[in-house]
Amino acid sequence: MQEDFLGWPATLVQRCEYQIEDMPGLAYVLDVKPETLARWVEAGCSALMVGATHCFDRTLKCALGSTGAAFVIGGDLIATRSGVKKNLFYRNGVAIVASKSGTPGAVPIAEQEQIAHMPEKDVSGMLECGGVALWNTMPYQFAVKAIDLGVPAEMNTPDRREKWLEIVRVEMLKALESPENRFLSGWMSAHPITLRAGECPDSRDP
């Protein structure tokens, strides 16, 4: 990237065009180095899953299963849901409501580009309750680790959605320079039983 992208430094953003069968995809992806991801997982396992020997491998597998270990800043992450490949549009790692979001079939790259550049204030809704990649961390799970930030309890107004997306951006940029990712530690704290059992939890699992 030559220029900063929607508040993200250009040096951290990769523009990716790809093809899955007959479906083209366009995504602006945060460049999370493998060693950074490993550092976050090691820190989370050491702090929250002492004695769980499978923690590191399982946590990485959960990230791969959720978003392919990709953090999409803007654009389309084509994923299989209920056996069907669908277009899922993201902003700051959060699945959002957009034209053709959650539907199968080809979406023209020009249309995907428009959605990818949508201002945060224009996001009309969030899918999956505003959960954040890489592990679909719910806002309330992150809020436990960041009480000072005033995380919105619901994403039901433009102001709340915009604030959450801004919080995600600021927090992820901090995490890139830190041994800890508070989205990960919030997610791990919310699912101790399921993770210790060696399973990838969904948002309802303990």
Side-chain angles (χ1 to χ4, degrees):
M1 294 285 295
Q2 299 297 313
E3 299 178 357
D4 290 355
F5 182 79
L6 302 171
W8 297 84
T11 55
L12 299 177
V13 182
Q14 297 178 334
R15 184 185 187 277
C16 304
E17 282 194 43
Y18 61 98
Q19 187 86 21
I20 297 181
E21 297 176 358
D22 63 338
M23 297 171 66
L26 167 68
Y28 290 86
V29 179
L30 182 65
D31 183 17
V32 179
K33 304 291 187 196
E35 57 267 27
T36 299
L37 184 59
R39 188 175 70 229
W40 291 341
V41 174
E42 286 175 355
C45 289
S46 295
L48 300 166
M49 291 284 147
V50 176
T53 55
H54 59 268
C55 179
F56 186 90
D57 291 341
R58 174 57 57 188
T59 303
L60 284 179
K61 186 174 181 180
C62 293
L64 285 167
S66 177
T67 61
F71 187 98
V72 178
I73 294 169
D76 188 8
L77 178 66
I78 297 170
T80 301
R81 295 289 187 269
S82 302
V84 178
K85 288 182 175 60
K86 298 181 179 180
N87 299 282
L88 296 173
F89 290 95
Y90 280 76
R91 184 61 196 279
N92 294 6
V94 177
I96 62 170
V97 172
S99 174
K100 299 178 184 173
S101 190
T103 65
V107 177
I109 289 293
E111 187 174 337
Q112 295 189 36
E113 191 85 67
Q114 278 191 319
I115 296 170
H117 284 82
M118 182 191 302
E120 292 171 3
K121 64 182 178 61
D122 292 342
V123 172
S124 63
M126 294 179 173
L127 308 177
E128 300 174 349
C129 302
V132 182
L134 303 158
W135 293 273
N136 198 38
T137 306
M138 295 293 117
Y140 69 88
Q141 295 169 351
F142 170 74
V144 172
K145 301 293 179 178
I147 296 172
D148 56 308
L149 296 183
V151 176
E154 294 184 78
M155 304 299 151
N156 55 359
T157 68
D159 286 349
R160 290 175 178 177
R161 290 190 290 270
E162 186 176 4
K163 180 172 183 177
W164 178 230
L165 291 173
E166 181 180 1
I167 287 172
V168 173
R169 183 177 67 254
V170 171
E171 186 68 22
M172 281 298 291
L173 289 172
K174 286 171 56 179
L176 291 175
E177 305 299 325
S178 167
E180 180 191 13
N181 183 321
R182 293 196 292 182
F183 293 112
L184 172 57
S185 57
W187 175 81
M188 293 181 82
S189 294
H191 304 294
I193 296 173
T194 306
L195 287 171
R196 284 192 179 278
E199 302 295 332
C200 289
D202 67 24
S203 59
R204 297 161 295 179
D205 289 328

